[in-house]
Amino acid sequence: MNTDFQLPEGIGLLEIHPSDIEKKSFEMIGEELKKLGKGPYPEDVDKVVRRVIHTTADFQFADTLVFSPKAVQAGIRALTEGAPVITDTNMAKSGIRKAVLQSLGTEVFCFMADADVARDAKAAGVTRAVMSMRKAAELEEQTGRRAVFAIGNAPTALVELYSLIQQGRLHPRLIIGVPVGFVNVVQAKELILTLKSTPHIVARGRKGGSTVAAAIVNALLYQIRRL
């Protein structure tokens, strides 16, 4: 990295072309995983794990990410077939590669800021995340399109997803359950892990977030086509 200033003693910057930064980052992630004795993972799973670590710089996700059998393949197939993506934050929505979704004939939705969701949640005494999942169930009922859910913030969204699935009102193609926080976060994720017939990718424990949810969706999209 070229500089026009004197670096302090003991600080050295890596000389690298901007176009090579991401490639070098993934090489460093691979080296660190090897040092930590993590893996090897199946190739499709490995790409998701590395993308999450690239987004967070947190190698604990190598231990906490849990994949149901063939979950990555289920997600890739769903997106390829035009399944919509539903998130619980506009931050996650913003981070997902919408141009690629559009090329696949689909899109990403977040209902959290919708006026009807706010109104109905207040009337029912539930969170907007809960009402957003109920709106997602209505969307599936109206269109017949089963969605990929990317939940990175609200554990109540996961709890409601579980309830709607048990009621037979919602049939997700994939659940990405990675909310971050403290209250009911761990429990909500464990609920999703009990679903035997619903493919899921879950980050066990308290860590996660909207950026992680978006990163996992993007990792699936990278495997569909080069971004």
Side-chain angles (χ1 to χ4, degrees), residues 150-164:
I151 308 301
N153 183 67
T156 55
L158 289 186
V159 174
E160 187 63 16
L161 275 178
Y162 180 86
S163 175
L164 291 165

Side-chain angles (χ1 to χ4, degrees), residues 64-135:
T64 61
L65 282 173
V66 180
F67 298 77
S68 67
K70 299 183 178 179
V72 175
Q73 296 173 40
I76 290 172
R77 184 166 58 252
L79 294 170
T80 302
E81 294 173 354
V85 178
I86 297 175
T87 80
D88 64 332
T89 67
N90 280 305
M91 179 184 293
K93 180 181 177 182
S94 296
I96 292 170
R97 301 299 183 106
K98 286 176 275 300
V100 180
L101 288 176
Q102 186 177 10
S103 74
L104 296 170
T106 189
E107 57 189 312
V108 56
F109 297 94
C110 178
F111 303 130
M112 292 291 286
D114 291 4
D116 59 333
V117 167
R119 180 195 64 230
D120 294 346
K122 184 176 182 181
V126 298
T127 67
R128 285 184 296 164
V130 167
M131 198 56 64
S132 291
M133 296 304 103
R134 293 177 185 175
K135 187 168 182 175

